Amino acid sequence: MNWPALPLAEWIDTKDTLHRWMQVIGKIRMELTPSINHWWHVPLYVSARGLTTSVIALGDRWFDMEFDFIAHQLHIRTNDGVERDVALEPRTVADFHDEVFSALKELRIRCSIWTTPVECENPIPLDRDVAHKSYDTEYVQRFWRVLAQSHAVLSVFRSEFIGKCSPIHFFWGSFDLALTRFSGRRAPARPDADPMTREAYSHEVSSAGWWPGDSRLALPAFYSYAAPEPAGFRNAAVKPAAAHYNESLGGFYLHHDDMRLASDPGQALLDFCRSTYDAAADLGHWDRAELERNHV
């Protein structure tokens, strides 16, 4: 299967709008879901049609919300058979926010959120943002296809690890698809870090994923990092040859186009995930025999 091109410059306005729409939905999920370690109650998940919250409990009721990037609708569905749709089309973030909460009210779902967006430039409150209003269906579908194809490869990579491991999930704050493996040991404390970072990196991890890029790196890319980063990690030999360590961002990066234009893109991505994890685990002295399936 061909991997689509996704040059950031071609869809940045749509990406910035979608980023903020996802924060509306993600914040609702976060507000109504019990806290889970490492913020695992926060992300969205790749579905057959887009991205979903998965089921959210409401006492003796439950519901879910799904960005459907085929029909270009946000579906809000309850277990009692009632559904509301919110159109995904060129519209302001404020308009999207207001229609979502109007739909929730009709469905008798009570929720309030902190409306300041996180981890994005120009954080206009979501209920007042009339600046971001783009939606290009072609690039949204390319974005979803990249997520789905990346999910398939990351699922193979995840299957090789029997230690503690995250789901493959999409963080609507950092706007990336991520998979994290754990060594089983606590990480050194980060007393000066913000609460989100302290919880996210309370244990030793090796994390890999895909990110569409932003002003720091205006290219979509796969990434892999270790936290804490062991000595020698940034100088490790990793695959494929196009992968490199990014000093400013921290971690190894494989640009999306370098991966998708490889003779076997899926294998190139697997090589990237495996070789960067090998470096993190070996240099970090992980107990690989106990953590990996069929470890030699």
Side-chain angles (χ1 to χ4, degrees):
M1 182 182 295
N2 293 329
W3 292 65
L6 199 64
L8 182 62
E10 295 294 322
W11 77 300
I12 190 166
D13 292 340
T14 291
K15 191 215 79 163
D16 288 347
T17 301
L18 190 60
H19 190 177
R20 287 156 176 81
W21 289 356
M22 287 188 185
Q23 299 221 5
V24 174
I25 302 309
K27 284 170 176 275
I28 294 168
R29 186 201 173 206
M30 182 172 68
E31 182 67 26
L32 297 178
T33 304
S35 296
I36 302 175
N37 54 294
H38 315 299
W39 303 99
W40 291 355
H41 61 296
V42 167
L44 305 177
Y45 305 94
V46 176
S47 73
R49 298 182 69 94
L51 286 165
T52 178
T53 59
S54 73
V55 68
I56 300 171
L58 291 170
D60 60 352
R61 301 171 63 219
W62 52 91
F63 76 108
D64 70 0
M65 296 179 284
E66 181 181 28
F67 284 96
D68 181 339
F69 295 138
I70 296 176
H72 300 289
Q73 298 281 332
L74 172 76
H75 304 303
I76 307 175
R77 301 171 290 222
T78 67
N79 67 296
D80 41 20
V82 184
E83 180 174 334
R84 294 290 183 274
D85 291 338
V86 176
L88 304 180
E89 60 189 8
R91 63 191 305 178
T92 68
V93 175
D95 183 48
F96 177 82
H97 168 278
D98 290 349
E99 186 169 345
V100 166
F101 275 90
S102 176
L104 292 181
K105 184 177 180 180
E106 292 176 4
L107 295 169
R108 298 182 293 112
I109 299 171
R110 296 182 180 180
C111 182
S112 62
I113 62 172
W114 182 49
T115 58
T116 301
V118 298
E119 298 185 74
C120 63
E121 298 173 352
N122 193 17
I124 305 167
L126 299 166
D127 57 345
R128 300 203 302 270
D129 186 349
V130 296
H132 299 96
K133 53 188 176 183
S134 298
Y135 189 80
D136 185 320
T137 57
E138 167 65 23
Y139 278 92
V140 168
Q141 287 201 339
R142 291 189 192 192
F143 164 71
W144 164 59
R145 283 179 56 199
V146 170
L147 293 183
Q149 289 171 266
S150 300
H151 188 284
V153 177
L154 290 173
S155 295
V156 174
F157 180 59
R158 190 180 191 274
S159 74
E160 299 167 352
F161 195 77
I162 58 176
K164 177 180 173 180
C165 190
S166 78
I168 301 167
H169 42 203
F170 186 83
F171 281 99
W172 44 262
S174 50
F175 212 64
D176 67 309
L177 187 71
L179 169 66
T180 302
R181 292 176 168 186
F182 291 76
S183 73
R185 299 188 298 252
R186 286 192 172 271
R190 300 187 182 201
D192 298 328
D194 61 83
M196 182 180 72
T197 302
R198 286 201 302 271
E199 171 60 27
Y201 299 113
S202 58
H203 292 68
E204 291 182 346
V205 300
S206 172
S207 189
W210 180 87
W211 174 63
D214 63 18
S215 61
R216 295 169 294 172
L217 177 64
L219 293 168
F222 295 91
Y223 65 83
S224 180
Y225 64 85
E229 183 178 300
F233 178 71
R234 63 188 60 198
N235 298 315
V238 302
K239 298 176 182 177
H244 62 282
Y245 190 89
N246 187 305
E247 293 285 347
S248 62
L249 293 172
F252 286 97
Y253 281 74
L254 173 64
H255 294 160
H256 179 77
D257 282 347
D258 288 331
M259 182 282 305
R260 75 179 190 87
L261 296 174
S263 58
D264 186 338
Q267 188 60 53
L269 178 53
L270 262 181
D271 289 345
F272 177 72
C273 293
R274 288 168 174 164
S275 64
T276 53
Y277 163 74
D278 287 345
D282 288 341
L283 294 169
H285 306 294
W286 289 28
D287 188 352
R288 298 185 63 177
E290 290 298 317
L291 296 171
E292 299 168 26
R293 190 187 309 276
N294 301 324
H295 175 74
V296 178

